[in-house]
Every structure is written in structure tokens, then in C-alpha cells.
């Protein structure tokens, strides 16, 4: 079950984002990680990214169903919409992503019709450090497209990062530089 | 100006290259040891250019600017491809660790001939930095780094190309002259 019932103050710069720590209770967390470990991930790569993934939006699995509720039940969707001051959220989608050595996701803004808030629940329990790579880099970009790195969010176990999707929401996942597996459940809240 | 490797100027070779170029699903040809690279003065003057979500790299005048515009080379291109290329632009591009370009930088490009000459030394495959060409309904074409190679690719409207992300673990940079010729 969800442990966190409140969302901290939204950080407005360079675009609205927040970290909710201790998102799940430990029992649920263990079950979720076990369930994710049993999936058959597909390797995906393009000019923009390299990672393993597995779609979770439509699968019927007792633990994933609980996680889907924890991330997307009516209470939490209302909280998220209120906190970010966005229109009501109708649904979520979700997928599991594993980044290993050399994997990355280059800068992009996540804009696809209907997406309001992006989220990422971090599930790697080894204590990722900056040197290992895999941080979520948050950028500010000027009108010409020149970027400034504003913040590097190191993945924290059982933390949920959310940000508002807009034409300012430039971010990337830094290249994994060590032999680790950066596991997340990631997706978007939709209008 | 540097000399083209004499092997590529022989009639039989030219004929073979033209056949290879025009028989591929993705018309391309790769010519290793195309020039005597040691005779080339490599002194690039580069400036960083970034458009987030499109590219982040250093750019300057092509090292062999005059050569790429020369009638000798354009005639050579015509003989290999059977096309009538018209010089459009030539730049030197440097992709350092963490640099990239993405395919959609080519979104509005018309038919063209893409020519890449490789100045990259001591490259390792795991560092990425290769050239990627895509076309609807065709297998992607990947061109790994190879010092002294010339890559010639015919791209049509809707075809895309980029230089893939260079790993932060790379000890070198991807260094290329990147030349575009327009096609009718």
C-alpha cells in the first residue's frame, strides 16, 4: 500500500517538480520489486535512448494492480492535480524500465498529447551515487535551445519524482557508468 | 589539395562502386583510405552549438572545404553514384563525450547526397558515436567510425540521419567533415 499521503511543496524552477520520499510501505515495496524482477524485459534503443522496458499499463497482475492503484487511485490523482494546480487527471499509464551499464535517455520534454504530469518511482535499493550515473538531469533551455543544467536528482530508493509536462520540461537520464541496474516504474498522468 | 587514393580512380573500380551504390536498398558506398590523411593539416576552429533535443556538438569550417567543393571531387561523386550532385555545405563536426545529434534534425531535408569523411582516431565501438541513417520501410544503416573512410549515402525526402550519442566513457571525440550535396 501507499505509505505517503501528502505531497511536499512543489519546486517551481525550472519547471514544476517534486520528490515524494517513502512512497510505498516496505511490504508492498518488496512485493513490487519481486514482481518486476520476474518480467521479461525488451531491449529498446534509438538515437534518443537505450534501456530495457516492459509495459505495465494493461497487465493483470495482483501486485502490479496494487501498485497501479497506489499511483493512480482517485485520492492520489486528486492530490497530484491539486498540488500541481493542473486540470483533473483521468488516468495513468505505466511501464517498468531498467537502465544498465551504458544506457541513457537524452534530453527531451515528454510532450505528447494528453500527458499532464510525468512520474518515476525509483526502485533500486543499492544507494546509487552520482558517480554511478543514472541521475535525472533537469535543464533550463533558452529560446535558442541552449541548455543549463539546473538540478541532478540522484535516484533514491522508494522515492517518487513527478514533474509537469510542458515545452519547458527538458530532462534526461544520465548514462549509467557503473555495473548497476537502475529500476523504475515510470509513466504519465493524463487529462 | 589531397589526392584521391589512385585505386578509386581506376575505371574498373569506379564501375564496381557505381554498381554497388545503386544495388543497395539504401544507396551507399564506403571507401576506406580514401585520402592520404597524414598529408592533411588538421587544425579545426570550432564553436559549440546546441539546440536541446536536437544536437549538442562543436562545429566549424570543414577541414577539406576546398576539396569538397572542387570539380574533381564532384565529378568523382557523379561517376560513383550516377547522380548530378550540387555542393550545398561542408562543416567539420566534433562530438565529444556526452554529445549527440538526433534523427529529427533532418525532418525537412529534400533529396540529397550525404558525404562523411572520418578524422576519428583510435575509436572503440562501445563508445557509440556512429552515424545512423534511417528510411521508412528500410533497415537502418549504421556506419561505425573508421579513420580515413569516406561514406557516401543517398538520402531522399523523409530519410533521416544523425551521429549517435558519444559515451561519457569515451577517451576520444568523433571528428568528421560532413558535406551535403543537393540532388534534383
Amino acid at each position: 500500500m501507499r505509505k505517503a499521503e501528502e505531497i511536499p511543496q512543489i519546486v517551481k524552477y525550472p519547471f514544476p517538480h517534486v520528490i515524494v520520499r517513502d512512497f510505498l510501505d516496505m511490504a508492498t515495496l518488496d512485493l513490487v520489486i519481486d514482481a518486476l524482477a520476474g518480467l521479461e524485459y525488451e531491449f529498446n534503443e534509438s538515437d534518443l535512448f537505450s534501456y530495457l522496458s516492459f509495459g505495465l499499463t494493461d497487465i493483470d497482475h495482483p501486485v502490479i494492480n496494487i501498485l497501479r492503484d497506489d499511483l493512480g487511485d482517485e485520492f492520489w490523482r486528486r492530490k497530484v492535480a491539486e498540488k500541481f494546480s493542473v486540470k483533473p487527471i483521468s488516468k495513468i499509464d505505466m511501464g517498468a524500465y531498467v537502465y544498465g551499464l551504458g544506457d541513457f535517455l537524452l534530453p527531451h520534454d515528454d510532450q505528447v498529447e494528453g500527458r499532464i504530469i510525468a512520474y518515476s518511482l525509483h526502485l533500486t535499493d543499492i544507494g546509487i551515487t552520482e558517480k554511478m550515473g543514472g541521475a535525472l538531469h533537469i535543464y533550463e533551455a533558452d529560446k535558442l535551445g541552449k541548455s543549463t543544467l539546473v538540478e541532478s536528482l540522484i535516484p533514491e530508493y522508494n522515492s517518487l519524482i513527478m514533474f509537469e509536462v510542458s515545452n519547458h520540461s527538458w530532462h534526461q537520464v544520465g548514462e549509467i557508468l557503473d555495473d548497476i541496474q537502475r529500476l523504475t516504474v515510470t509513466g504519465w498522468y493524463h487529462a | 589539395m589531397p589526392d584521391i587514393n589512385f585505386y578509386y580512380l581506376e575505371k574498373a573500380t569506379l564501375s564496381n562502386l557505381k554498381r554497388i551504390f545503386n544495388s543497395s536498398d539504401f544507396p551507399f558506398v564506403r571507401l576506406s583510405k580514401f585520402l592520404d590523411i597524414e598529408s592533411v593539416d588538421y587544425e579545426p576552429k570550432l564553436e559549440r552549438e546546441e539546440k536541446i533535443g536536437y544536437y549538442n556538438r562543436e562545429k566549424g569550417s570543414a577541414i577539406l572545404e576546398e576539396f569538397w567543393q572542387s570539380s574533381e571531387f564532384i565529378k568523382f561523386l557523379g561517376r560513383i553514384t550516377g547522380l548530378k550532385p550540387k555542393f550545398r555545405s561542408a562543416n567539420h563536426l566534433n562530438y565529444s563525450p556526452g554529445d549527440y545529434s538526433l534523427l529529427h534534425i533532418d525532418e525537412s531535408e529534400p533529396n540529397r547526397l550525404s558525404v562523411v569523411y572520418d578524422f576519428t582516431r583510435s575509436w572503440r565501438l562501445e563508445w557509440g558515436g556512429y552515424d545512423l541513417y534511417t528510411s521508412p520501410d528500410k533497415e537502418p544503416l549504421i556506419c561505425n567510425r573508421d579513420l580515413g573512410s569516406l561514406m557516401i549515402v543517398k538520402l531522399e525526402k523523409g530519410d533521416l540521419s544523425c551521429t549517435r550519442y558519444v559515451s561519457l566513457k569515451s577517451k576520444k571525440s568523433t571528428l568528421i567533415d560532413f558535406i551535403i550535396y543537393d540532388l534534383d
Side-chain angles (χ1 to χ4, degrees), chain B residues 45-158:
Chain B
K45 289 175 184 161
L46 301 167
E47 285 185 14
R48 179 146 296 272
E49 66 163 14
E50 182 191 14
K51 185 177 178 186
I52 192 168
Y54 287 80
Y55 51 77
N56 194 0
R57 61 195 178 190
E58 287 182 304
K59 182 177 172 183
S61 298
I63 301 295
L64 299 170
E65 175 94 34
E66 269 184 56
F67 179 72
W68 307 125
Q69 294 192 51
S70 68
S71 57
E72 179 196 6
F73 181 69
I74 292 174
K75 192 175 162 193
F76 174 80
L77 277 182
R79 291 180 74 182
I80 282 190
T81 62
L83 301 167
K84 291 182 179 171
K86 291 176 193 157
F87 177 83
R88 188 209 300 176
S89 64
N91 291 290
H92 190 66
L93 302 176
N94 175 350
Y95 291 87
S96 302
D99 287 353
Y100 66 91
S101 62
L102 297 180
L103 289 168
H104 58 254
I105 57 173
D106 269 5
E107 261 169 2
S108 54
E109 284 283 294
N111 294 351
R112 69 253 185 227
L113 206 57
S114 165
V115 174
V116 172
Y117 184 70
D118 205 331
F119 289 90
T120 310
R121 290 178 188 270
S122 308
W123 194 252
R124 290 168 57 171
L125 285 180
E126 63 266 31
W127 293 341
Y130 53 79
D131 294 328
L132 175 64
Y133 305 88
T134 67
S135 181
D137 307 321
K138 291 180 190 171
E139 282 295 304
L141 175 63
I142 288 174
C143 182
N144 290 313
R145 302 271 60 95
D146 181 37
L147 177 66
S149 275
L150 186 80
M151 183 77 171
I152 303 166
V153 186
K154 182 187 174 196
L155 297 169
E156 297 179 350
K157 190 171 166 47

Side-chain angles (χ1 to χ4, degrees), chain A residues 54-83:
Chain A
F54 189 98
L56 299 174
T57 302
D58 298 318
I59 69 163
D60 187 13
H61 182 292
V63 176
I64 301 303
N65 292 348
I66 290 170
L67 177 63
R68 195 181 298 114
D69 277 349
D70 288 340
L71 284 163
D73 66 12
E74 196 179 341
F75 170 83
W76 190 251
R77 281 188 275 127
R78 201 180 325 115
K79 278 267 176 207
V80 172
E82 279 173 11
K83 205 72 189 182

Side-chain angles (χ1 to χ4, degrees), chain B residues 10-72:
Chain B
E10 290 182 2
K11 201 172 173 183
T13 310
L14 286 165
S15 169
N16 260 328
L17 290 173
K18 186 175 177 183
R19 180 182 54 77
I20 292 166
F21 182 85
N22 286 298
S23 63
S24 320
D25 190 29
F26 219 134
F28 83 98
V29 68
R30 181 177 182 143
L31 311 178
S32 60
K33 297 180 178 150
F34 181 67
L35 303 169
D36 176 14
I37 197 166
E38 300 306 332
S39 69
V40 175
D41 289 331
Y42 185 76
E43 292 173 359
K45 289 175 184 161
L46 301 167
E47 285 185 14
R48 179 146 296 272
E49 66 163 14
E50 182 191 14
K51 185 177 178 186
I52 192 168
Y54 287 80
Y55 51 77
N56 194 0
R57 61 195 178 190
E58 287 182 304
K59 182 177 172 183
S61 298
I63 301 295
L64 299 170
E65 175 94 34
E66 269 184 56
F67 179 72
W68 307 125
Q69 294 192 51
S70 68
S71 57
E72 179 196 6

Side-chain angles (χ1 to χ4, degrees), chain A residues 45-50 101 104 106-107 139 141 144-147 170 175 177, chain B residues 50-53 98 100-104 130 132 162 164-169:
Chain A
E45 70 173 338
S46 74
D47 54 332
L48 183 68
F49 55 74
S50 169
L101 182 63
F104 60 85
L106 295 176
Y139 296 95
L144 298 174
K146 188 169 165 45
S147 73
W170 292 103
E175 181 183 347
L177 301 170
Chain B
E50 182 191 14
K51 185 177 178 186
I52 192 168
Y100 66 91
S101 62
L102 297 180
L103 289 168
H104 58 254
Y130 53 79
L132 175 64
C162 71
R164 200 167 186 256
Y165 173 75
V166 174
S167 171
L168 295 172
K169 291 199 162 189

Side-chain angles (χ1 to χ4, degrees), chain A:
Chain A
M1 300 294 287
R2 187 175 54 236
K3 185 175 172 188
E5 293 300 318
E6 294 299 327
I7 298 173
Q9 181 88 28
I10 304 290
V11 179
K12 297 283 187 191
Y13 175 76
F15 50 85
H17 65 281
V18 70
I19 303 175
V20 183
R21 295 185 169 84
D22 291 323
F23 182 70
L24 296 174
D25 67 60
M26 291 312 288
T28 307
L29 195 55
D30 285 346
L31 288 171
V32 166
I33 289 170
D34 276 356
L36 296 178
L39 302 176
E40 288 188 17
Y41 291 82
E42 184 183 353
F43 179 62
N44 297 284
E45 70 173 338
S46 74
D47 54 332
L48 183 68
F49 55 74
S50 169
Y51 50 61
L52 295 164
S53 69
F54 189 98
L56 299 174
T57 302
D58 298 318
I59 69 163
D60 187 13
H61 182 292
V63 176
I64 301 303
N65 292 348
I66 290 170
L67 177 63
R68 195 181 298 114
D69 277 349
D70 288 340
L71 284 163
D73 66 12
E74 196 179 341
F75 170 83
W76 190 251
R77 281 188 275 127
R78 201 180 325 115
K79 278 267 176 207
V80 172
E82 279 173 11
K83 205 72 189 182
F84 278 93
S85 303
V86 295
K87 50 190 165 183
I89 291 164
S90 65
K91 61 172 185 174
I92 68 163
D93 57 26
M94 56 196 273
Y97 295 83
V98 180
Y99 289 72
L101 182 63
D103 287 341
F104 60 85
L105 173 59
L106 295 176
H108 64 290
D109 61 14
D110 264 7
Q111 281 198 100
V112 170
E113 193 176 353
R115 290 178 181 173
I116 298 181
I117 304 290
Y119 71 86
S120 206
L121 176 61
H122 290 273
L123 297 167
T124 305
D125 63 355
I126 59 164
I128 293 179
T129 63
E130 192 171 1
K131 280 185 176 176
M132 293 174 179
L136 181 70
H137 298 303
I138 288 181
Y139 296 95
E140 182 183 34
D142 66 18
K143 285 179 183 173
L144 298 174
K146 188 169 165 45
S147 73
T148 305
L149 178 63
V150 173
E151 207 171 348
S152 290
L153 304 175
I154 312 291
E156 282 180 50
Y157 186 49
N158 199 20
S159 70
L160 178 70
I161 296 177
M162 295 186 283
F163 62 82
E164 189 175 340
V165 176
S166 72
N167 56 1
H168 300 292
S169 52
W170 292 103
H171 62 286
Q172 75 163 10
V173 176
E175 181 183 347
I176 305 292
L177 301 170
D178 216 335
D179 190 13
I180 60 167
Q181 291 194 322
R182 177 193 193 269
L183 172 64
T184 66
V185 169
T186 296
W188 295 271
Y189 293 97
H190 292 255

